C-alpha cells in the first residue's frame, strides 16, 4: 500500500505542472501574437503615414484626409448593423428563452447559430446580387417621400448597393453572436427574481422588464460590443456589396457611399505597390485601434454593471 | 378584504407524474393556516397551486377546483396573472429586485396595476405597506437605497411589504423564515400575527414549533409511500394537531418518530 500511495501523488503533481505550463504557454502565445500584430502594423504602417508620395493617398492631401472617410464609413456601417441587429437579436433571444414552446425553441436556436456558419463571401454574393436590387425600389420611395430626413436625402442609388444595404447584410452577420450571448444571459436570470415578478401578477413581458432586463443589462452591452467588433472588421461582404467612393455623408441611400477600412484594404491591395501598401497597412492600424477601444469600452461597461448588481 | 379558499378534489401533475393527490380542504379567512410535512411531500407544490405559480414550471397542471371567495381560480376564463394580483406570495429566500430601491421595490406590484401613480398616493402606499411589515421605522430614512443593502430579515419583510402593498386577498408564504436567523424569524412571526387580522395567510414551514406558534389551523402532508403521490393526511385546529391528532402518522411526525 505504501509504495502505491506515493506514486499517484507524484503523478498528480506532474499533471498539475504540465497543466499549469500548457495553460500559461497558451496565454503567453496569445499575448505574443497580439503584440506581433501590433508591432507589424506600427512598423509597416508608419512609412505609409509619413510618405510624401501622393499616389499613396489616392489623390488626397494627407493620411488623415485619406483615412477619415474610411473611418467614417466603417463606423457608420457598423452602427447601422447594430441598430438593426440588436432589437432583432434581443427579440429572438426572448422568443427562444421565454415564449416559444421548448420543442420549437431549440431548433430555432440552432438555426440562428447556423447563420454564423455561412461564409461572409456568400453573404456578399447574396447582398450584391439579390438584396441590393430588391432594396432599390424602397430607396427610391424613401428618396421621393422622406427626403426631408437627412438619412434619406437621395437621389437614390440606381443599383441599391448603398451603405444601408451593407449595414443590413452586416446586421444579419452579427445577429447570431448577439443572440447567442443574449440567450445565455437571459437564461441566467435567477428564478427567484423571475418568480418575484410573476407572483406580483406580472405578465410575461412585465416579468422580463422587471427581472430579466435589469439583470441582463451588462451582458447585453458586452454582446452588442462583440457584435460591433465583428461588424467593424467585416471585409468581404462589405467589399462586394458596397459601391464605394470616398464621400463623407449621412445619406444612406445615395450612390456616393463611404467605404470601410477593411473593404478598402481588400479592394485596393492588389493594385498598390511599395509605400502605397504601407498606407493601407496604416489604415489597418487605425482599425485595430478602433476595435481595441470598442472592446475596452465594453469591458468597462460590463465591469461597472457587475459592481451595481 | 380577506377571502377563504375552498379546495376540492385537487390533483397536481408535473407532466404525467401525479405529485399531489386529492386534496380537499377549506382554508379560513383572517386566520393563519400552516402546512407541515416531510420534504418532497407536495406542500410547497400545493401552496403554489393557490396562486397558479406552479404553472411557471413547464408541464405542470391541476385537476379539481380551487375557489377563492366565490371565484373559481381555475375557471376557463381566468387569467393566472389576475389570480396572482389577488393572491400574494412570499418566497423561501428574500428576493427584492436587485436594481430597485426600497421605495420602488414596495411599489413594484402597484406599478403593474397602475402605471401613473401620483407621488402622494405612492408615498402613502409605501409608508402603509412598510409600516404593515414592521419595517418603516428601520428604513424610512433610506427609502432610495437599494433593497439588497438590507439584512436578510429586513429583505424578507421588504418582500412582505411588497406583497401587501397591492392589498391582496390572501398571502402565501413558502418557508419564509428558513433563510433567516432566529431574531429575524421572531420579527417575521410577530408580523404574521399582526397580518392575520387583515389577510388570509397560508404558510409552509419545516419548523413545527413555528407552525404551533403562528397558526390557528394546520395541515399535515405526507407521501403515501416512497414513489407515491403526496396527500393531505390531516387538517385540524393547530391546538388539536399538536395535542391529540386524529391520525397516527400525524402524531408520529409531530413527535419526531417519523420514518
Amino acid at each position: 500500500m505504501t509504495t502505491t500511495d506515493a506514486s499517484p501523488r507524484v503523478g498528480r503533481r506532474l499533471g498539475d505542472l504540465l497543466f499549469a505550463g500548457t495553460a500559461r504557454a497558451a496565454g503567453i502565445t496569445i499575448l505574443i501574437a497580439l503584440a506581433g500584430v501590433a508591432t507589424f502594423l506600427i512598423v509597416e504602417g508608419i512609412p505609409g503615414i509619413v510618405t510624401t508620395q501622393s499616389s499613396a493617398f489616392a489623390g488626397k492631401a494627407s493620411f488623415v484626409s485619406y483615412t477619415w472617410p474610411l473611418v467614417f464609413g466603417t463606423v457608420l456601417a457598423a452602427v447601422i448593423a447594430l441598430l438593426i441587429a440588436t432589437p432583432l437579436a434581443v427579440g429572438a433571444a426572448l422568443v427562444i428563452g421565454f415564449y416559444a414552446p421548448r420543442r420549437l425553441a431549440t431548433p430555432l436556436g440552432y438555426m440562428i447559430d447556423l447563420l454564423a456558419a455561412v461564409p461572409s463571401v456568400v453573404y456578399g454574393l447574396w447582398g450584391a446580387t439579390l438584396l441590393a436590387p430588391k432594396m432599390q425600389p424602397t430607396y427610391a420611395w424613401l428618396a421621393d417621400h422622406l427626403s426631408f430626413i437627412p438619412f434619406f436625402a437621395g437621389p437614390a442609388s440606381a443599383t441599391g448597393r448603398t451603405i444601408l444595404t451593407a449595414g443590413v447584410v452586416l446586421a444579419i452577420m452579427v445577429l447570431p453572436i448577439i443572440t447567442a450571448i443574449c440567450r445565455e444571459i437571459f437564461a441566467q436570470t435567477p428564478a427567484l427574481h423571475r418568480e418575484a415578478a410573476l407572483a406580483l401578477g406580472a405578465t410575461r413581458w412585465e416579468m422580463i422588464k422587471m427581472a430579466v432586463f435589469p439583470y441582463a443589462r451588462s451582458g447585453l452591452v458586452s454582446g452588442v460590443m462583440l457584435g460591433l467588433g465583428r461588424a467593424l472588421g467585416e471585409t468581404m461582404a462589405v467589399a462586394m456589396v458596397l459601391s464605394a467612393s470616398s464621400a463623407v455623408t449621412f445619406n444612406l441611400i445615395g450612390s456616393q457611399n463611404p467605404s470601410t477600412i477593411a473593404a478598402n484594404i481588400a479592394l485596393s491591395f492588389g493594385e498598390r505597390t511599395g509605400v502605397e501598401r504601407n498606407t493601407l497597412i496604416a489604415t489597418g492600424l487605425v482599425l485595430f485601434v478602433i476595435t481595441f477601444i470598442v472592446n475596452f469600452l465594453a469591458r468597462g461597461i460590463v465591469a461597472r454593471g457587475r459592481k451595481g448588481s | 378584504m380577506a377571502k377563504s379558499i375552498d379546495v376540492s378534489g385537487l390533483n397536481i401533475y408535473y407532466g404525467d407524474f401525479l405529485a399531489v393527490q386529492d386534496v380537499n380542504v377549506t382554508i379560513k379567512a383572517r386566520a393563519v393556516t400552516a402546512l407541515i410535512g416531510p420534504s418532497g411531500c407536495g406542500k410547497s407544490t400545493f401552496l403554489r397551486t393557490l396562486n397558479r405559480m406552479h404553472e411557471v414550471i413547464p408541464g405542470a397542471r391541476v385537476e379539481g377546483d380551487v375557489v377563492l371567495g366565490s371565484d373559481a381560480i381555475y375557471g376557463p376564463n381566468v387569467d393566472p396573472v389576475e389570480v396572482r394580483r389577488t393572491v400574494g406570495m412570499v418566497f423561501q429566500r428574500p428576493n427584492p429586485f436587485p436594481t430597485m430601491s426600497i421605495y420602488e421595490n414596495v411599489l413594484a406590484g402597484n406599478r403593474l396595476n397602475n402605471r401613473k401613480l401620483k407621488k402622494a398616493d405612492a408615498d402613502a402606499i409605501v409608508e402603509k405597506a412598510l409600516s404593515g411589515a414592521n419595517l418603516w421605522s428601520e428604513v424610512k430614512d433610506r427609502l432610495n437605497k437599494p433593497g439588497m443593502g438590507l439584512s436578510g430579515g429586513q429583505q424578507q419583510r421588504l418582500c412582505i411589504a411588497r406583497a401587501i402593498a397591492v392589498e391582496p386577498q390572501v398571502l402565501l408564504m413558502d418557508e419564509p423564515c428558513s433563510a433567516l436567523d432566529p431574531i429575524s424569524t421572531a420579527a417575521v412571526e410577530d408580523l404574521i400575527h399582526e397580518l392575520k387580522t387583515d389577510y388570509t395567510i397560508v404558510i409552509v414551514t419545516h419548523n413545527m414549533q413555528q407552525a404551533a406558534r403562528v397558526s390557528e389551523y394546520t395541515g399535515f402532508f405526507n407521501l403515501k409511500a416512497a414513489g407515491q403521490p403526496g396527500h393531505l393526511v390531516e387538517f385540524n385546529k393547530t391546538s388539536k394537531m399538536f395535542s391529540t391528532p386524529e391520525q397516527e402518522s400525524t402524531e408520529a411526525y409531530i413527535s419526531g418518530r417519523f420514518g
Side-chain angles (χ1 to χ4, degrees):
Chain A
M1 283 309 274
T2 42
T3 46
T4 50
D5 242 357
S7 63
R9 200 185 298 162
V10 171
R12 199 163 49 220
R13 268 190 206 151
L14 183 66
D16 278 351
L17 280 175
L18 272 176
F19 181 75
T22 22
R24 202 170 293 133
I28 292 170
T29 310
I30 291 172
L31 282 181
I32 291 174
L34 194 66
V37 169
T39 316
F40 163 79
L41 287 174
I42 292 167
V43 169
E44 292 287 310
I46 284 174
I49 298 174
V50 299
T51 181
T52 50
Q53 189 181 325
S54 67
S55 69
F57 305 132
K60 294 285 168 58
S62 69
F63 180 73
V64 172
S65 58
Y66 174 68
T67 313
W68 158 240
L70 296 174
V71 172
F72 177 81
T74 305
V75 174
L76 182 62
V79 167
I80 294 171
L82 285 186
L83 285 180
I84 299 169
T86 306
L88 280 178
V90 171
L94 288 179
V95 167
I96 292 169
F98 298 105
Y99 287 94
R102 198 170 297 176
R103 63 170 187 283
L104 201 71
T106 318
L108 193 61
Y110 284 139
M111 302 243 286
I112 293 177
D113 286 345
L114 266 182
L115 282 178
V118 178
S120 61
V121 66
V122 174
Y123 280 111
L125 280 174
W126 172 75
T129 60
L130 186 77
L131 183 66
K134 298 267 183 220
M135 296 284 275
Q136 203 282 329
T138 312
Y139 295 155
W141 186 90
L142 285 171
D144 284 345
H145 296 90
L146 295 174
S147 58
F148 58 88
I149 302 170
F151 295 133
F152 308 128
S157 156
T159 58
R161 293 170 62 180
T162 67
I163 191 120
L164 187 54
T165 309
V168 171
V169 173
L170 281 178
I172 296 167
M173 298 179 71
V174 300
L175 194 62
I177 188 166
I178 305 181
T179 309
I181 290 173
C182 286
R183 275 171 63 193
E184 205 65 34
I185 305 275
F186 291 167
Q188 284 171 9
T189 313
L192 217 55
H193 297 157
R194 282 186 275 149
E195 292 195 336
L198 289 174
L200 284 173
T203 60
R204 221 176 311 195
W205 171 235
E206 286 165 338
M207 179 274 284
I208 288 166
K209 280 191 294 182
M210 283 171 95
V212 177
F213 282 161
Y215 177 83
R217 199 179 40 199
S218 66
L220 213 141
V221 170
S222 68
V224 169
M225 289 297 167
L226 276 176
L228 181 58
R230 166 122 208 245
L232 288 171
E234 176 49 41
T235 310
M236 211 52 223
V238 178
M240 293 171 78
V241 170
L242 198 60
S243 117
S245 67
S246 61
V248 175
T249 170
F250 279 108
N251 179 8
L252 303 181
I253 59 172
S255 51
Q256 298 278 307
N257 293 291
S259 187
T260 70
I261 293 174
N264 179 61
I265 293 175
L267 287 176
S268 47
F269 195 73
E271 60 203 38
R272 286 182 161 231
T273 52
V275 77
E276 298 171 354
R277 284 197 168 179
N278 291 101
T279 306
L280 285 185
I281 293 170
T283 61
L285 177 63
V286 173
L287 181 60
F288 185 79
V289 170
I290 293 174
T291 37
F292 213 80
I293 292 172
V294 164
N295 274 307
F296 210 73
L297 284 179
R299 300 254 159 227
I301 293 169
V302 172
R304 210 178 43 191
R306 286 279 144 72
K307 233 177 282 166
S309 65
Chain B
M1 192 157 26
K3 287 182 180 167
S4 63
I5 306 169
D6 278 302
V7 179
S8 49
L10 190 73
N11 293 321
I12 309 169
Y13 293 87
Y14 291 115
D16 293 329
F17 173 69
L18 178 61
V20 180
Q21 191 175 30
D22 196 30
V23 178
N24 295 282
V25 68
T26 297
I27 293 167
K28 295 251 180 350
R30 290 195 183 76
V32 179
T33 301
L35 304 176
I36 59 172
S39 296
C41 67
K43 54 196 189 308
S44 286
T45 299
F46 170 70
L47 187 79
R48 291 165 69 95
T49 57
L50 299 181
N51 68 344
R52 299 186 66 166
M53 270 302 282
H54 73 295
E55 290 172 25
V56 171
I57 297 159
R61 63 195 167 87
V62 302
E63 289 166 357
D65 288 314
V66 177
V67 179
L68 174 65
S70 56
D71 308 316
I73 69 170
Y74 285 97
N77 298 319
V78 177
D79 183 354
V81 167
E82 290 305 317
V83 173
R84 291 176 202 146
R85 287 183 186 188
T86 48
V87 182
M89 189 162 195
V90 177
F91 293 83
Q92 212 166 3
R93 283 174 48 213
N95 54 357
F97 294 113
T99 52
M100 290 186 195
S101 64
I102 294 169
Y103 187 90
E104 286 302 322
N105 257 297
V106 175
L107 285 176
N110 301 73
R111 294 255 192 251
L112 292 174
N113 295 320
N114 177 8
R115 223 146 275 280
K116 293 190 188 72
L117 212 54
K118 283 202 195 81
K119 175 84 172 102
D121 294 344
D123 288 347
I125 291 170
V126 169
E127 177 166 358
K128 187 175 171 211
L130 285 173
S131 307
N134 285 343
L135 194 59
W136 175 250
S137 57
E138 290 162 60
V139 301
K140 64 174 190 280
D141 299 321
R142 46 172 170 158
L143 291 175
N144 291 316
K145 295 272 159 53
M148 295 299 273
L150 301 173
S151 75
Q154 289 173 324
Q155 284 186 25
Q156 193 63 303
R157 279 179 284 149
L158 175 60
C159 292
I160 294 173
R162 181 174 68 189
I164 62 178
V166 292
E167 307 197 332
Q169 311 284 349
V170 178
L171 202 53
L172 307 177
M173 298 182 163
D174 189 357
E175 299 182 42
C177 302
S178 63
L180 304 183
D181 65 65
I183 293 168
S184 304
T185 300
V188 172
E189 285 183 8
D190 287 345
L191 175 56
I192 293 170
H193 265 298
E194 292 166 23
L195 290 174
K196 75 177 177 207
T197 53
D198 291 321
Y199 300 96
T200 305
I201 296 175
V202 187
I203 175 171
V204 165
T205 177
H206 270 298
N207 179 331
M208 277 177 284
Q209 284 76 32
Q210 182 171 63
R213 282 194 299 265
V214 301
S215 70
E216 278 84 48
Y217 298 90
T218 300
F220 171 53
F221 277 83
N222 200 356
L223 298 174
K224 281 178 175 161
Q228 293 282 305
H231 67 135
L232 181 59
V233 177
E234 182 171 352
F235 188 88
N236 239 321
K237 283 205 143 108
T238 301
S239 52
K240 184 162 170 52
M241 281 291 264
F242 283 88
S243 55
T244 51
E246 283 165 8
Q247 300 290 325
E248 218 173 290
S249 64
T250 313
E251 196 190 354
Y253 182 74
I254 287 171
S255 59
R257 288 184 285 107
F258 176 72

